[in-house]
Amino acid sequence: MAKYENLIPRFLKYVKINTRSNPDSTTIPSDPRLTEFANGLVADLKAIGLKNVHINPQSSYVFATLPANTDKTVQKLGFISHFDTADFNSEHITPKFVENYDGQSVIKLDDAGKYTLDPAVFPNLKNYKGHTLITTDGSTLLGADDKSGVAEIMAAAEYLLAHPEIKHGEIEIGLGPDEEIGTGADHFDVKDFGADIAYTVDGGPLGQLEYETFNAADAQVEITGTNVHPAEAKGVMVNASQVAMDFHAALPDHDRPENTEGREGFFHLYSMTGTVDSAHLSYIIRDHDRQVFEDRKKLFQGVADQLNKQYGSERVQVTIKDQYYNMREVIEKDMTVVDLAKEALEDLDIKPLIFPVRGGTDGSKISFMGLPTPNLFAGGENMHGRFEYVSEQTMEKATDVIIKIAELTESKA
Ligand SMILES: [Zn+2]
């Protein structure tokens, strides 16, 4: 029998429920189906035997507590994941299984074989020789991001309740909506959650441990032109679309997502519309280094200032909004939370894979609310689309890691 009896069954039950979040919504959560799913989680968490199970009213996170079983004073650990899924078809998700994968075959997702998982395209498949893989049928995403995290956290809690010989402090569980639309953690209630240090279990392959993310801002550029008949345009027309192109051309050529990697930041133009009369450019600005990030925003504003000076009027208006910051700024003040996870991985013979994330996590926001929250692997690969898959064995290892962190925290107290 599997070590975590309910891990995979619970995962399968959850992925079959459509929990796609809605980027166009302004409600919390973004869709009523997320409330319905949260209610189901409340019932399941209570059934496991967890305490203080409730939905936090300001964030719609489901919170639960696993009480301590030790007399020592131990730091309260938190484990967090999200149950909404990304912007891709998530109706009628039908998980498929590949038992004992050989690490080299092409896996057909749909019966006709239009969509496949091919190691030539997805080389990580080679890491899964001997594993049981759970895939999609090619028509939907899978939702391992992040229902694998949800199922792992719940399996770890269930295991600890069934094994009182493993001593641990109080453990807080937080399962939230709307991570995929970037708003889930905005209203996270650190006080109600009650943890001293926490982890999101929302990373990818085995061993991933992330405590460095981008600093992030959204930047909108509104350009106003002067539209006159082209025949009489000389010296009068200001073509907003032309000004938009000049604006973009004034940004550093190299600093685009397609030219950068590792710790290199960028300006990413993700949408543009324009006529002679008006034009609009939408960017995201990213950098791991806070100072360089601030400099990038200044440079961006400076391009607008320069163009306005050139035209002698306010043609270009820039609105920059910070989205989240590099959690490293918070975490490096006390590396305990990272060191614990590293030690847990090493104790379990899992090689820690520590790289700066070229993105953000819910922990980027939560860390700045005063709760240091790096990100642990949950197992998913090729997230956010039809090629998503996860290994059962990796999900078991992720569950092992959660339990090991709890154990280590108690033993060091
Ligand atoms: Zn995720």
Side-chain angles (χ1 to χ4, degrees), residues 30-314:
S30 66
D31 192 282
R33 60 179 161 236
L34 295 171
T35 307
E36 204 179 307
F37 189 84
N39 289 331
L41 282 177
V42 167
D44 290 355
L45 290 161
K46 282 183 180 163
I48 291 177
L50 295 170
K51 303 296 177 204
N52 190 25
V53 182
H54 65 286
I55 298 182
N56 174 268
Q58 77 177 49
S59 63
S60 288
Y61 260 76
V62 181
F63 285 161
T65 298
L66 175 62
N69 64 358
T70 174
D71 296 332
K72 290 190 191 172
T73 307
V74 184
Q75 274 196 311
K76 290 182 190 171
L77 284 172
F79 293 97
I80 297 167
S81 67
H82 66 90
F83 54 80
D84 66 311
T85 58
D87 208 14
F88 193 82
N89 184 25
S90 40
E91 272 175 54
H92 310 297
I93 294 174
T94 312
K96 291 176 71 173
F97 290 83
V98 181
E99 312 257 352
N100 194 14
Y101 180 57
D102 61 10
Q104 53 186 34
S105 302
V106 175
I107 300 167
K108 265 194 208 176
L109 296 176
D110 55 314
D111 292 338
K114 183 172 177 204
Y115 299 111
T116 60
L117 285 175
D118 181 344
V121 181
F122 303 112
N124 279 5
L125 282 164
K126 294 173 191 149
N127 302 331
Y128 294 100
K129 189 166 189 280
H131 286 232
T132 301
L133 300 182
I134 306 175
T135 75
T136 73
D137 67 359
S139 66
T140 64
L141 51 64
L142 178 60
D145 178 14
D146 187 26
K147 285 165 182 160
S148 55
V150 172
E152 288 152 10
I153 293 169
M154 289 172 76
E158 199 170 29
Y159 188 87
L160 287 171
L161 275 166
H163 292 268
E165 72 279 8
I166 304 175
K167 297 297 171 200
H168 59 84
E170 189 173 306
I171 295 172
E172 318 297 343
I173 292 172
L175 312 175
D178 295 335
E179 191 269 352
E180 298 293 358
I181 58 171
T183 59
D186 286 349
H187 305 281
F188 190 85
D189 189 338
V190 168
K191 200 160 166 271
D192 186 19
F193 188 51
D196 301 313
I197 54 174
Y199 302 88
T200 49
V201 185
D202 191 18
L206 182 74
Q208 266 189 6
L209 166 60
E210 299 162 330
Y211 65 96
E212 192 171 356
T213 58
F214 270 145
N215 296 290
D218 181 87
Q220 301 295 325
V221 185
E222 190 66 59
I223 297 161
T224 312
T226 300
N227 189 8
V228 294
H229 195 288
E232 294 147 12
K234 187 162 185 186
V236 181
M237 179 190 280
V238 176
N239 186 340
S241 292
Q242 182 59 51
V243 179
M245 289 190 284
D246 293 346
F247 183 96
H248 188 67
L251 294 173
D253 253 8
H254 175 268
D255 297 6
R256 299 179 196 153
E258 62 270 38
N259 296 335
T260 51
E261 62 183 353
R263 265 175 225 280
E264 298 171 314
F266 56 73
F267 302 91
H268 172 46
L269 173 64
Y270 67 86
S271 149
M272 60 189 292
T273 55
T275 60
V276 177
D277 188 55
S278 69
H280 194 101
L281 303 172
S282 300
Y283 288 86
I284 55 172
I285 302 175
R286 298 288 187 263
D287 210 288
H288 288 103
D289 185 289
R290 183 66 175 264
Q291 187 54 52
V292 179
F293 174 65
E294 297 301 330
D295 292 346
R296 283 189 187 282
K297 290 190 288 180
K298 269 190 213 134
L299 186 148
F300 197 85
Q301 180 63 54
V303 171
D305 295 346
Q306 183 56 39
L307 284 165
N308 287 334
K309 206 170 131 197
Q310 189 181 317
Y311 287 102
S313 62
E314 295 293 301

